[in-house]
Amino acid sequence: QVQLVESGGGLVQPGGSLRLSCAASRSIFGINAMGWYRQAPGKERELVAVLTSGDSTIYADSVKGRFTISRDNAKNMVYLQMNSLKPEDTAVYYCHAIVVVGAGASDYWGQGTQVTVSS
């Protein structure tokens, strides 16, 4: 079991920056991948960025060059640094984790944090 708690959302002007944080309830060693997803009103949840245990990263095309995912293993934290924010980045951002055990996998979600980009 992994509990995930996001923080750091808020209101920011276009072009601004925010850093989202995701606190895991246990060591993130052994978590196969952690990432961020977002869901805007009336839209499906979409992948934003993923960081695997092997340090591979995947970014949505819409955020490449602007967002950076990182982690602090000692603090059991995952971060999403968001720069050059645009109004279309407005959404609820969710932290996500996948744990593979044997032939199966379990995924876990945080409760989400609202990011609003508006002037």
Side-chain angles (χ1 to χ4, degrees), residues 42-61:
K43 295 187 177 181
E44 293 188 354
R45 192 172 296 189
E46 63 176 1
L47 180 147
V48 176
V50 171
L51 176 60
T52 72
S53 57
D55 287 332
S56 296
T57 55
I58 300 170
Y59 293 96
D61 287 343

Side-chain angles (χ1 to χ4, degrees), residues 3-11 17-24 34-37 70 75-82 91-96 109-116:
Q3 282 77 48
L4 304 170
V5 179
E6 304 97 335
S7 61
L11 173 64
S17 298
L18 280 176
R19 188 177 81 154
L20 304 184
S21 299
C22 174
M34 295 192 71
W36 292 91
Y37 287 71
S70 63
K75 296 181 179 179
N76 300 332
M77 297 287 292
V78 175
Y79 305 99
L80 185 68
Q81 178 67 43
M82 305 186 294
V92 178
Y93 283 71
Y94 297 91
C95 184
H96 177 252
W109 295 92
Q111 82 288 351
T113 185
Q114 176 71 46
V115 171
T116 302

Side-chain angles (χ1 to χ4, degrees), residues 71-92:
R71 65 174 173 230
D72 185 331
N73 292 333
K75 296 181 179 179
N76 300 332
M77 297 287 292
V78 175
Y79 305 99
L80 185 68
Q81 178 67 43
M82 305 186 294
N83 299 327
S84 302
L85 282 161
K86 305 175 181 179
E88 51 264 43
D89 294 318
T90 296
V92 178

